[in-house]
Amino acid sequence: QVEMVESGGGLVQPGGSLTLSCAAVGTRFRLAAMSWHRQAPGKERELVAGIIGDSKRHYAESVKGRFTISRDSAKNTMYLQMNNLKPEDTAVYYCRGVIGANDWWGQGTQVNVSS
């Protein structure tokens, strides 16, 4: 059973930075795609950023130019560098991994952007 383990959330002031990490544990196969999603209170979960293979990246319009997704395929680990954070970035952030028709979600990590 594959487990997605997130870390790196916390409280940060507006304009600050955080880096989230997500490791896929329990598989020796390389994940075909990985992505970050978030869910704010009272809102639906939304895609933040995704990476297919090692280089095909895509971002939600709201985070373009501020967030950077990357991965270490050898370790099945993914990162989300978040800069210039805004209060509207406050949410629970989830990572997702995909191999073929199977996908797995992490438990979520809370990010709070507040002064």
Side-chain angles (χ1 to χ4, degrees), residues 27-41:
T27 179
R28 61 184 177 88
F29 297 105
R30 182 173 174 272
L31 272 65
M34 300 181 78
S35 55
W36 288 100
H37 305 251
R38 67 185 180 188
Q39 187 167 19

Side-chain angles (χ1 to χ4, degrees), residues 1 4 6-9 31 59 72 83 85 94 101 106 114:
Q1 178 69 21
M4 308 297 289
E6 300 130 334
S7 61
L31 272 65
Y59 298 93
D72 182 339
N83 297 326
L85 282 159
Y94 300 88
S114 174

Side-chain angles (χ1 to χ4, degrees), residues 34-84:
M34 300 181 78
S35 55
W36 288 100
H37 305 251
R38 67 185 180 188
Q39 187 167 19
K43 296 187 177 181
E44 294 187 353
R45 190 174 298 188
E46 63 174 354
L47 174 67
V48 176
I51 183 166
I52 301 172
D54 288 325
S55 60
K56 293 183 180 180
R57 297 175 175 85
H58 54 277
Y59 298 93
E61 285 297 325
S62 59
V63 306
K64 279 184 179 178
R66 299 189 298 122
F67 290 12
T68 302
I69 189 171
S70 62
R71 67 181 293 182
D72 182 339
S73 294
K75 297 179 180 179
N76 262 344
T77 300
M78 171 179 64
Y79 307 94
L80 186 66
Q81 175 66 43
M82 306 185 292
N83 297 326
N84 191 21

